[in-house]
Amino acid sequence: MKKIVTFFVEAIQSYTRLFLISLIIVFIMTILNMMIPYGMRAYLDSIIENGDWQNFIIGLIIFAIYLFIFTIIKICWYVSLDNFGGQYIKDLELQIETSISHASLKQIDRIGLNKIKHMMYSDLLDVFRVIGHHMPSVFGSLLVIAAVLVLSFAYDSVVTAFIFFSLIIGLSISFFSRKLIAKMAGKTNSALKTSMLIQMNLSICLLCIRPIMYFIIF
């Protein structure tokens, strides 16, 4: 977890502008999400008071326009996350390539080519997913939760207290189970590397056996 936070802070410091763009888009999406309860309430009140088809159709059109705008903004958000995580992953890949170029052949042989291949692809992809998407998404979710708590407190403090304590319980479960999750994730990652090594060796063996089998058959 510390490494993830370190990588995330380093990415923010290196690409502050890209991160702020993502943050601004999240703020806009939060405002749009907060507009839904007010919009639905006004829409239902208008239908109940007037009861004509014109308001019903206008409301559906406005809601369709809202969904279209929200979808476009969400696509822009994902693009901004790709730019943010993509730029950081380029730097990280360059650092790995530089380390490999300065390493001796003995060090490379000790690590193993298959593990290096796995690090250059799977591990980098995992870092991209976490730093480029998961962490900014968590950051955006915290903004949404804060906005919901403020909005809920304006209407009912008891409901707000219930939501807040539920949030604390959820965060506590996540915090105390993080070591177990990290341990299981490490075992899964190690198993994937072993599986990849077996598959690579099997592929090489099949290529070597093919000419012999061809000679025996014919």
Side-chain angles (χ1 to χ4, degrees):
M1 187 65 185
K2 291 182 179 179
K3 290 183 178 180
I4 294 175
V5 175
T6 301
F7 286 155
F8 185 56
V9 172
E10 182 181 341
I12 294 175
Q13 291 175 349
S14 300
Y15 302 102
T16 306
R17 183 180 65 84
L18 295 176
F19 178 73
L20 288 177
I21 291 174
S22 300
L23 204 61
I24 291 171
I25 296 176
V26 169
F27 183 71
I28 295 173
M29 291 171 59
T30 303
I31 293 176
L32 290 176
N33 284 324
M34 292 176 64
M35 290 173 59
I36 292 179
Y38 290 103
M40 291 298 295
R41 183 175 180 179
Y43 176 58
L44 293 176
D45 289 342
S46 176
I47 293 177
I48 293 173
E49 291 177 1
N50 298 320
D52 55 354
W53 285 97
Q54 184 176 0
N55 290 336
F56 178 75
I57 294 174
I58 291 174
L60 290 179
I61 294 173
I62 293 174
F63 186 67
I65 294 173
Y66 165 83
L67 289 178
F68 177 76
I69 294 174
F70 186 81
T71 302
I72 296 298
I73 293 175
K74 197 166 187 177
I75 291 173
C76 293
W77 182 55
Y78 282 122
V79 171
S80 69
L81 292 180
D82 287 339
N83 292 331
F84 172 68
Q87 291 295 328
Y88 180 71
I89 210 69
K90 284 181 181 179
D91 290 345
L92 197 59
E93 185 177 6
L94 182 60
Q95 292 176 17
I96 295 175
E97 292 173 352
T98 303
S99 299
I100 293 174
S101 64
H102 288 89
S104 63
L105 291 177
K106 290 183 179 180
Q107 291 175 325
I108 294 176
D109 290 337
R110 186 165 57 250
I111 296 173
L113 291 177
N114 292 321
K115 286 187 177 181
I116 293 176
K117 291 177 182 178
H118 192 276
M119 286 189 294
M120 292 292 292
Y121 178 73
S122 297
D123 290 346
L124 277 177
L125 191 61
D126 289 339
V127 173
F128 172 75
R129 282 197 295 261
V130 174
I131 304 302
H133 283 261
H134 296 339
M135 291 298 290
S137 298
V138 170
F139 210 84
S141 298
L142 291 176
L143 286 179
V144 174
I145 291 172
V148 169
L149 288 176
V150 172
L151 185 63
S152 176
F153 186 77
Y155 284 94
D156 194 335
S157 59
V158 177
V159 174
T160 305
F162 175 76
I163 295 174
F164 179 75
F165 283 114
S166 300
L167 175 64
I168 295 298
I169 292 172
L171 291 176
S172 300
I173 293 173
S174 300
F175 179 78
F176 289 111
S177 61
R178 73 189 191 283
K179 292 184 178 180
L180 179 61
I181 294 173
K183 182 180 179 181
M184 298 304 296
K187 289 183 178 180
T188 302
N189 194 27
S190 178
L192 286 173
K193 290 180 180 179
T194 304
S195 175
M196 182 179 177
L197 178 61
I198 294 172
Q199 292 173 10
M200 290 290 294
N201 291 332
L202 178 62
S203 301
I204 295 172
C205 291
L206 289 175
L207 291 174
C208 295
I209 294 173
R210 181 181 294 178
I212 300 174
M213 296 298 296
Y214 182 82
F215 178 77
I216 293 174
I217 293 173
F218 296 97

